[in-house]
Amino acid sequence: SLTGETDFHGLAVASSENAAQRVFGYDGSRQRIVASLDGGTTWRDGAQLAARDILASGAMLYATTAEGLAVSSDNGTTFAIENSAPTLYVIASDPAGTIAGIDTTGQIWTRTPEGEWIPGFTVEGTPQAFAVDGDRLYVADDRGIAYTEDAGATWAVLQLTR
C-alpha cells in the first residue's frame, strides 16, 4: 500500500485474537519506523532511529541499533534502549514468545521469559537472516542455511536439493 513512497528494509507483524494485525516497517531511506495498526490499510510515521532489524513480539516492538536493543511499548512511537540486552545485529522470535538474537560479533543470545539474556555460541561469518522455532535457531550465514538446537554448540547445514 506504500509502493513508491517507502523503502522498507525490514518488516514485522504482530497478531492478536482481539485486534487487527499490527504491521511495522523500517524505512531505511528516512531511518524511520512506519506503523499500521489496522493490518496495512493505513500507515503513520513512528520514531526515527537507525535500525538494522526489527521484531514485533507480543505488545512490544524491538529494533537492533548500534546503540543497543531499542524497545517500544507504544507501537513504535518512541523507543528506549534496553540496557541489559546485548548489542544485537539480528533478532527473531517464535509464536510462543521465545526471543533470540545474534550480536555484532556473531554470538547467539536467547532471552528468558524473565528478560535475562543468556549467551550461546557463535555463527560463521555475518548473519544475513535469522529465525526462531522454540529451541531450534536458523541462520543464513557464510555456510548457507544452518540450524542449531543447542544455542550454537553444534550446527547442521541444510543441504538444498533441486
Side-chain angles (χ1 to χ4, degrees):
S1 62
L2 295 175
T3 303
E5 295 178 36
T6 302
D7 182 18
F8 281 132
H9 287 220
L11 291 172
V13 177
S15 299
S16 73
E17 294 179 21
N18 303 329
Q21 283 186 327
R22 297 177 304 128
V23 184
F24 302 95
Y26 176 65
D27 182 348
S29 64
R30 297 187 305 140
Q31 294 189 337
R32 183 171 295 281
I33 296 293
V34 182
S36 172
L37 306 182
D38 57 11
T41 302
T42 61
W43 294 84
R44 64 164 178 78
D45 283 347
Q48 190 168 19
L49 73 163
R52 163 61 179 101
D53 198 10
I54 61 172
L55 166 70
S57 181
M60 308 302 280
L61 180 63
Y62 299 88
T64 63
T65 74
E67 292 78 30
L69 184 62
V71 183
S72 174
S73 61
D74 60 7
N75 293 311
T77 302
T78 62
F79 283 84
I81 298 298
E82 183 179 308
N83 292 324
S84 65
T87 303
L88 299 175
Y89 184 67
V90 292
I91 189 169
S93 71
D94 67 7
T98 300
I99 296 176
I102 302 172
D103 72 16
T104 55
T105 68
Q107 184 171 22
I108 295 171
W109 293 84
T110 54
R111 186 175 184 192
T112 67
E114 297 77 32
E116 180 184 1
W117 288 93
I118 307 296
F121 295 89
T122 59
V123 299
E124 291 186 22
T126 303
Q128 298 302 317
F130 185 58
V132 176
D133 185 18
D135 289 337
R136 186 175 277 195
L137 308 175
Y138 293 85
V139 66
D141 63 14
D142 292 352
R143 298 167 291 190
I145 300 172
Y147 72 89
T148 180
E149 294 177 332
D150 54 14
T154 60
W155 290 92
V157 177
L158 299 178
Q159 300 301 315
L160 304 178
T161 59
R162 297 190 191 266

